[in-house]
Amino acid sequence: SAASLPPSLPSSTGSTGGIHLKVSWQGEWLIWSINPASQGTERNRERIAPATLRQASYGTIKIGTYQSLKRAFVGCPEDETLLINVVCGILSGVISSAIANPTDVLKIRMQAQSNTVPGGMIGNFVNIYQQEGARGLWKGVSLTAQRAAIVVGVELPAYDLTKKHLILSGLMGDTVYTHFLYVDGF
């Protein structure tokens, strides 16, 4: 653990893929930072766009699929069980990550590139497709789906269970504040 390591370790710097990284110890805390000036603000904006696209598509499909699957298994929210929610979460994770996998491939490739491909995200999609075909856009889908099954199979049922207990305990009503409190704490 970081607390057991000596606080007087020297700083180290390195460069990987054009990104300059600085690691140093301050007291008991490991401090690391990426120098954004090493690539420029425009390059950092280019790296944020595919991450936003990936999260928007994956997250939307994940939540929508989860809710739809729950209603397909159980008509009334009061009849939901933890097992049903976990199964729906696992299925939702697999389905959403499989559908959104091309955006994940794009995000990883664009964030790892040291030089830009003309045309931004669309240019990168076209480049991947021309170089590797449709299979290139679904590279790693089985591992991504397995990870998503585990994460979503725990994340969304935990959210539902916590929200349900907050509401049933009388501490909070079924309001937007209950949702924000839980999301902020998760």
Side-chain angles (χ1 to χ4, degrees):
S1 87
S4 63
L5 294 173
S8 60
L9 288 175
S11 294
S12 67
T13 58
S15 180
T16 239
I19 298 173
H20 300 283
L21 185 64
K22 180 179 181 184
V23 179
S24 62
W25 288 93
Q26 293 181 0
E28 295 181 345
W29 299 95
L30 174 65
I31 307 297
W32 66 275
S33 62
I34 296 174
N35 180 1
S38 66
Q39 297 258 327
T41 1
E42 183 62 32
R43 184 71 181 121
N44 288 331
R45 261 184 294 198
E46 289 174 9
R47 289 179 171 168
I48 291 171
T52 304
L53 174 66
R54 186 261 180 199
Q55 191 56 37
S57 58
Y58 168 71
T60 303
I61 297 166
K62 173 182 74 173
I63 300 291
T65 305
Y66 177 69
Q67 293 298 331
S68 297
L69 287 170
K70 285 193 319 176
R71 290 301 71 83
F73 284 112
V74 179
C76 185
E78 291 80 29
D79 296 335
E80 291 175 12
T81 65
L82 183 58
L83 178 62
I84 287 174
N85 287 358
V86 168
V87 168
C88 291
I90 290 169
L91 291 172
S92 173
V94 169
I95 292 166
S96 60
S97 65
I99 292 171
N101 199 75
T103 62
D104 210 23
V105 170
L106 176 72
K107 174 190 73 120
I108 292 165
R109 301 270 179 96
M110 286 185 73
Q111 289 178 341
Q113 288 174 347
S114 58
N115 54 2
T116 61
V117 172
M121 285 194 304
I122 301 297
N124 275 280
F125 264 127
V126 170
N127 186 42
I128 294 168
Y129 183 76
Q130 287 175 340
Q131 300 281 327
E132 304 171 46
R135 294 182 82 182
L137 293 171
W138 273 271
K139 192 173 272 187
V141 69
S142 63
L143 295 174
T144 301
Q146 289 173 30
R147 179 198 59 81
I150 294 167
V151 170
V152 180
V154 172
E155 176 188 38
L156 294 181
Y159 168 82
D160 274 348
L161 187 66
T162 304
K163 184 180 72 170
K164 183 178 181 178
H165 283 291
L166 281 172
I167 293 167
L168 292 177
S169 71
L171 292 172
M172 302 189 83
D174 191 2
T175 66
V176 70
Y177 300 113
T178 307
H179 299 272
F180 278 120
L181 175 69
Y182 182 75
V183 169
D184 187 44
F186 203 92

